[in-house]
Amino acid sequence: MSPPSQRLPPSGGAEPFVIIVDDDASIRESLSSLFRSVGLRVELFASTAEMLQAKLPDAPRCLVLDIRLPGLSGLDFQDQLGKSDNTMPIIFMTGYGDIPMSVRAMKAGAADFLTKPFRDQDILDAVASSLEKDRLRRETDRAHASVETLYQSLTAREKEVMALVSSGLMNKQVAAEIGLSEITVKIHRGNVMRKMAARSLADLVRMAGTLGLPTDRK
């Protein structure tokens, strides 16, 4: 393999890593050497069954997967991961220029599909893009979980007020909508802002959007 032209940028947070699943030991070792040369951690497996039995770090990751494997094929494994809501990006490798397989893989959400032999830079680029995608997904998931935890600390009435305020209603309009006095609505709104740790109405609207609450009143 030719030397890579550049190092991959750090993904931030937990150290990212690449999972390689290929029944050819020489391919596994060759790719491992390449990825380690740009500072990436690597986990090597000869089969999908072996990978499933392993305890993997909770960090940004991507899977470099041979499409033709003994036992469960790469495509079938992709289907299995999809059914378990595992959204790890998958980069497929194949020694065969099989267009129907590549179409199936990409339709099922594969990050890339590379035909062997491929250039070092092609797989480095695919891995860099996939790791960044997984890092951003994890950040989004953590942010959503944090907002959801705060939201669940609200009372039913506070949730109602939050939804109406986030949809653009003024305190007086919220009061008329739910049959409360304006001063009571102000109290609830203050509680919502404090419990949600919202520094401004714009903050609260962003949180409502994260939670899937309507932020535009029709």
Side-chain angles (χ1 to χ4, degrees):
M1 287 188 174
S2 57
S5 65
Q6 61 186 24
R7 292 181 66 84
L8 297 180
S11 291
E15 188 180 354
F17 67 101
V18 184
I19 303 165
I20 302 171
V21 180
D22 195 307
D23 59 334
D24 186 328
S26 65
I27 295 291
R28 292 197 304 272
E29 292 302 329
S30 179
L31 288 174
S32 176
S33 176
L34 175 65
F35 296 144
R36 290 178 191 280
S37 76
V38 294
L40 287 170
R41 287 189 301 161
V42 182
E43 299 283 348
L44 303 177
F45 303 102
S47 68
T48 54
E50 190 179 316
M51 174 191 156
L52 289 174
Q53 291 172 1
K55 184 172 176 59
L56 297 170
D58 183 17
R61 66 187 70 181
C62 70
L63 173 59
V64 177
L65 181 63
D66 189 23
I67 206 161
R68 294 180 183 271
L69 293 167
L72 193 66
S73 74
L75 287 174
D76 289 338
F77 187 55
Q78 179 188 32
D79 291 340
Q80 182 176 315
L81 290 178
K83 289 174 184 174
S84 65
D85 293 327
N86 189 319
T87 55
M88 171 173 49
I90 300 175
I91 301 164
F92 277 107
M93 304 178 293
T94 179
Y96 308 84
D98 193 319
I99 293 177
M101 281 197 303
S102 65
V103 170
R104 176 183 162 186
M106 299 305 286
K107 280 186 175 181
D112 214 329
F113 192 99
L114 302 175
T115 302
K116 303 171 186 174
F118 42 75
R119 296 187 314 126
D120 291 357
Q121 198 60 47
D122 288 341
I123 197 159
L124 286 175
D125 289 345
V127 163
S129 174
S130 295
L131 289 175
E132 179 65 7
K133 178 181 177 181
D134 198 50
R135 184 187 68 79
L136 292 174
R137 177 192 63 79
R138 286 166 174 271
E139 282 186 358
T140 299
D141 288 349
R142 281 194 297 271
H144 186 279
S146 176
V147 172
E148 180 65 32
T149 297
L150 295 174
Y151 182 67
Q152 292 308 323
S153 73
L154 303 182
T155 65
R157 180 63 84 184
E158 287 165 352
K159 289 177 180 178
E160 189 176 14
V161 169
M162 176 177 172
L164 293 170
V165 168
S166 299
S167 71
L169 295 189
M170 305 292 288
N171 289 342
K172 184 182 295 186
Q173 295 170 306
V174 174
E177 180 83 13
I178 58 181
L180 295 177
S181 68
E182 187 174 350
I183 188 65
T184 301
V185 169
K186 286 181 180 178
I187 292 171
H188 284 312
R189 179 171 176 166
N191 288 339
V192 169
M193 297 293 286
R194 175 177 55 80
K195 289 183 178 180
M196 295 299 295
R199 292 168 295 180
S200 65
L201 177 58
D203 247 3
L204 194 66
V205 171
R206 279 193 293 272
M207 291 176 179
T210 296
L211 293 164
L213 302 179
T215 55
D216 282 318
R217 193 163 179 83
K218 302 295 184 183

